[in-house]
Amino acid sequence: MSEQENPPILITIAVIGGTGKEGSGLSRRWASSGYRVIIGSRDAAHAKQQAQMLNTELGAEYVLGMDNLSAAREANLIVLSVPYSAHKVTLDTLHGVLQGKILVDVTVPLVPPQIRTVTIPKGKAAGLEAQAILGPNVRVVSAFQHISASHLKDDDEHVASDVLVCGDDTDAKTQVIQLAQAAGMRGLDAGPLANAVAIESMGPVLLYLNMRYKSKGAGIVITGIDQT
Amino acid sequence: MSEQENPPILITIAVIGGTGKEGSGLSRRWASSGYRVIIGSRDAAHAKQQAQMLNTELGAEYVLGMDNLSAAREANLIVLSVPYSAHKVTLDTLHGVLQGKILVDVTVPLVPPQIRTVTIPKGKAAGLEAQAILGPNVRVVSAFQHISASHLKDDDEHVASDVLVCGDDTDAKTQVIQLAQAAGMRGLDAGPLANAVAIESMGPVLLYLNMRYKSKGAGIVITGIDQT
């Protein structure tokens, strides 16, 4: 992977489940903003293939592909973008290599087929479950649940959706707010990790609104605050 | 109370807890849109006083004040705007007179002093608890939790916040969406009553955002859908 001219910050981001639409869209935006990005997948070959596709689109070798464990090992900030059914098993696998790092949990605890109805998971929120699984040495931040992959395809598209960022560590939240900005969105500090309950459960509501009003990209914007 | 020239619909709305800022602001907007509005309070004299104040502002005798039980008895649609600590006891009191009617639950289950952190109540959401208390003959709709009272003071102010409306009865949701429009806001069908978990739990998040970004009126607008 070639060095970029002006990396904004010395962060390597691993996107676990980065071959999915959402993870892939975020990866491309971060890579084109100068972050070093590693796409992780259970299948290393699939991850390499996806990384190559993004590099072709970006016109440079910005993105690497690896198996999930290697990707998480190489990164300081790990974004978890997997279906809820794979949430616990993935975190159990990555437990060791995540210690001392930041985990950004993008997971919405959808329970198919009722994906448009809020279901509260056992641990109240996927983000809280991640913190419980990983222990206190991992700084878990909950964010990016409301960003429709359909908006991330075009790098120039302004995404009319805020990124609500919850977590118990202020520095980690600040880094994730910067990641949101790097991906073309406004990041807002939305409180402690306990507030992930609200952020995650708005996921099914947006899916319902998409169905109800025949849309693909319903998003949330916070009004009434003076923050860009 | 004088008849209005063009009542938009033959609905009498009772606002239980209507002497509070939120209930009072909604009452004034509905009254000035032509709805018959009754302000309810535990203290009938207080309710009458508040109704008189609104009538003076509105320049006509649009609003009545009564004790909560009488207000709910007179109305076909009852809006519950009380602190969560008074939620159950108020519903127990009104149980009989609410049968066959629509209850619009505005309650956010805040647990002071941690009002900026999401707390999930025993029944998952105040709206779901209301439905469980009242039984199947009351159509419970959850709405209006995100409307800052500060925006309702001025009748002409456009409120930059959508009203997300959850409920299990489509006709009742439609009526509440019309109420939102009558009060100057966009009402959106946000799914079944189970989705009240998301809608209510965004309440503490908005309070957190207000504190964090020194605002008084953070609100939520849904983007990406074509619906006015």
Side-chain angles (χ1 to χ4, degrees):
Chain A
M1 181 173 154
S2 68
E3 285 297 308
Q4 288 186 244
E5 278 140 45
N6 294 303
I9 193 166
L10 292 172
I11 286 184
T12 299
I13 306 171
V15 183
I16 306 302
T19 54
K21 278 185 196 173
E22 179 91 19
S24 179
L26 289 170
S27 294
R28 191 175 59 235
R29 286 191 170 223
W30 288 326
S32 66
S33 294
Y35 285 88
R36 187 169 178 251
V37 177
I38 308 173
I39 283 182
S41 170
R42 280 175 302 178
D43 175 0
H46 190 195
K48 282 182 211 298
Q49 196 178 22
Q50 183 70 29
Q52 195 43 55
M53 214 172 76
L54 290 184
N55 287 331
T56 303
E57 285 174 30
L58 292 164
E61 299 295 308
Y62 288 163
V63 182
L64 289 174
M66 299 181 187
D67 67 90
N68 282 335
L69 193 64
S70 304
R73 191 183 286 119
E74 291 287 316
N76 358 56
L77 186 148
I78 293 89
V79 177
L80 184 62
S81 177
V82 295
Y84 182 62
S85 55
H87 188 253
K88 186 180 183 309
V89 66
T90 306
L91 288 171
D92 284 341
T93 308
L94 302 179
H95 187 282
V97 296
L98 292 178
Q99 298 303 307
K101 299 179 177 178
I102 295 172
L103 179 85
V104 183
D105 201 339
V106 179
T107 310
V108 176
L110 299 179
V111 181
Q114 304 282 10
I115 61 168
R116 296 179 190 90
T117 299
V118 175
T119 313
I120 305 174
K122 266 190 190 169
K124 295 186 179 175
L128 291 168
E129 291 179 336
Q131 189 71 72
I133 292 168
L134 298 170
N137 291 327
V138 179
R139 293 180 285 167
V140 175
V141 177
S142 178
F144 296 106
Q145 293 89 347
H146 306 150
I147 311 307
S148 165
S150 66
H151 291 309
L152 297 171
K153 282 181 207 157
D154 182 350
D155 276 343
D156 295 329
E157 181 177 332
H158 169 70
V159 181
S161 190
D162 291 332
V163 178
L164 298 172
V165 179
C166 301
D168 294 331
D169 184 277
T170 302
D171 170 61
K173 276 197 286 194
T174 302
Q175 290 190 43
V176 176
I177 288 169
Q178 286 168 353
L179 277 187
Q181 286 161 346
M185 292 166 276
R186 181 172 70 160
L188 292 172
D189 173 6
L193 191 59
N195 287 358
V197 172
I199 311 303
E200 292 179 12
S201 62
M202 282 302 291
V205 172
L206 292 178
L207 294 176
Y208 182 90
L209 289 164
N210 278 339
M211 181 194 67
R212 179 68 177 76
Y213 297 106
K214 299 182 174 54
S215 159
K216 283 185 178 173
I220 295 173
V221 162
I222 300 295
T223 54
I225 61 173
D226 185 19
Q227 177 73 13
T228 52
Chain B
M1 181 174 154
S2 67
E3 285 298 308
Q4 289 186 244
E5 277 140 46
N6 294 304
I9 193 166
L10 290 172
I11 285 184
T12 299
I13 305 171
V15 183
I16 306 302
T19 54
K21 278 184 195 173
E22 180 91 17
S24 179
L26 289 169
S27 294
R28 192 175 56 235
R29 285 190 172 224
W30 288 326
S32 66
S33 293
Y35 286 89
R36 187 170 178 251
V37 176
I38 307 173
I39 284 183
S41 170
R42 280 176 303 179
D43 175 358
H46 190 195
K48 283 181 209 300
Q49 195 178 23
Q50 183 69 31
Q52 194 44 53
M53 215 172 74
L54 289 183
N55 286 332
T56 303
E57 285 173 33
L58 291 164
E61 299 294 307
Y62 287 164
V63 183
L64 288 175
M66 299 180 187
D67 66 272
N68 283 334
L69 193 65
S70 304
R73 190 182 288 122
E74 291 288 314
N76 1 53
L77 186 149
I78 293 90
V79 177
L80 184 62
S81 176
V82 296
Y84 182 61
S85 55
H87 188 253
K88 185 178 183 310
V89 66
T90 305
L91 288 170
D92 284 340
T93 307
L94 302 180
H95 187 285
V97 294
L98 293 178
Q99 298 303 309
K101 300 180 178 179
I102 295 173
L103 180 85
V104 183
D105 201 339
V106 180
T107 309
V108 176
L110 301 178
V111 181
Q114 304 283 10
I115 60 168
R116 296 178 189 90
T117 299
V118 175
T119 312
I120 306 174
K122 267 191 189 169
K124 295 185 179 176
L128 291 167
E129 291 179 335
Q131 189 71 73
I133 292 168
L134 298 171
N137 291 329
V138 179
R139 295 181 284 167
V140 175
V141 177
S142 179
F144 295 107
Q145 294 88 346
H146 306 151
I147 310 309
S148 166
S150 65
H151 291 309
L152 298 172
K153 281 181 209 158
D154 182 352
D155 276 343
D156 294 330
E157 181 177 331
H158 169 70
V159 180
S161 190
D162 290 333
V163 177
L164 297 172
V165 178
C166 303
D168 294 331
D169 184 276
T170 302
D171 170 61
K173 278 198 283 194
T174 302
Q175 290 191 43
V176 176
I177 287 169
Q178 287 168 351
L179 277 188
Q181 287 162 344
M185 293 166 277
R186 181 173 70 161
L188 293 171
D189 173 6
L193 192 59
N195 287 358
V197 172
I199 311 304
E200 292 179 12
S201 63
M202 283 302 290
V205 172
L206 292 178
L207 293 177
Y208 182 90
L209 288 164
N210 278 338
M211 182 195 66
R212 177 71 176 75
Y213 296 105
K214 298 181 175 56
S215 159
K216 283 184 178 175
I220 294 173
V221 164
I222 300 296
T223 56
I225 62 172
D226 185 20
Q227 178 72 14
T228 49

